Amino acid sequence: MKNYRFFYFGLFVIITTIFSSCLFPKEDECLNYAPSNVTSVTIPDLVPAQQPVNLQIRCQTNNGCGQFYAFETLTEGDTLTIRPISKYSGCVCTQVVGEYTASLSYTPPAAGTFYFKFYRNDRDRKSTRLNSSHLVISYAVFC
């Protein structure tokens, strides 16, 4: 009888370990980072040169687990390419497309025309332009 008790106890421990590891995934197993589509951008009409301007960037997530994480930026001459990154945490997510608005501060180095390119998954990049005349920078229409 004692042998069966140890056998059943050992079987119970093995089964409990297997099921609990499947039911409670590790924290990093359900964590993912991915670029988000930019849907719109808001920039103030007039900005003094060499003063920071806040770009309000509206983005979409792929599902209900997505939230803003960071911006990846690349500056090439007078063009700034902006790619928002979403953080997806959770193993079970709603399949509803989410949206968020995030701010990015940009300081034009001098008076001039500056271009912004924004990431889109469909390979069609949205772009806009800042124009400046001496010490004032004005916003051009979002394309």
Side-chain angles (χ1 to χ4, degrees):
M1 185 72 175
K2 286 185 178 184
N3 289 341
Y4 288 117
R5 219 183 267 167
F6 286 117
F7 172 76
Y8 287 123
F9 179 74
L11 186 60
F12 173 76
V13 169
I14 291 171
I15 291 173
T16 303
T17 303
I18 290 172
F19 280 111
S20 66
S21 66
C22 292
L23 294 176
F24 304 106
K26 295 176 184 147
E27 186 175 319
D28 61 346
E29 285 180 359
C30 298
L31 186 62
N32 186 26
Y33 298 89
S36 294
N37 280 337
V38 173
T39 58
S40 66
V41 178
T42 304
I43 300 176
D45 290 336
L46 296 173
V47 178
Q50 299 177 339
Q51 296 293 318
V53 58
N54 279 328
L55 287 72
Q56 297 295 317
I57 302 171
R58 189 141 179 87
C59 306
Q60 285 183 334
T61 60
N62 297 332
N63 60 44
C65 289
Q67 60 187 2
F68 174 72
Y69 177 69
F71 287 111
E72 288 182 351
T73 59
L74 174 65
T75 303
E76 295 180 75
D78 60 358
T79 302
L80 178 68
T81 302
I82 301 166
R83 186 165 97 158
I85 304 296
S86 290
K87 176 181 177 180
Y88 295 90
S89 56
C91 293
V92 180
C93 303
T94 63
Q95 294 306 306
V96 177
V97 174
E99 288 191 324
Y100 61 82
T101 301
S103 292
L104 176 68
S105 181
Y106 174 74
T107 303
T113 302
F114 301 92
Y115 300 92
F116 298 97
K117 291 185 179 180
F118 300 94
Y119 178 83
R120 290 195 43 106
N121 239 355
D122 58 11
R123 303 217 189 266
D124 173 30
R125 293 183 188 268
K126 291 194 174 283
S127 62
T128 190
R129 178 180 70 198
L130 282 176
N131 288 326
S132 72
S133 174
H134 302 289
L135 295 179
V136 177
I137 297 175
S138 62
Y139 168 69
V141 178
F142 183 73
C143 303

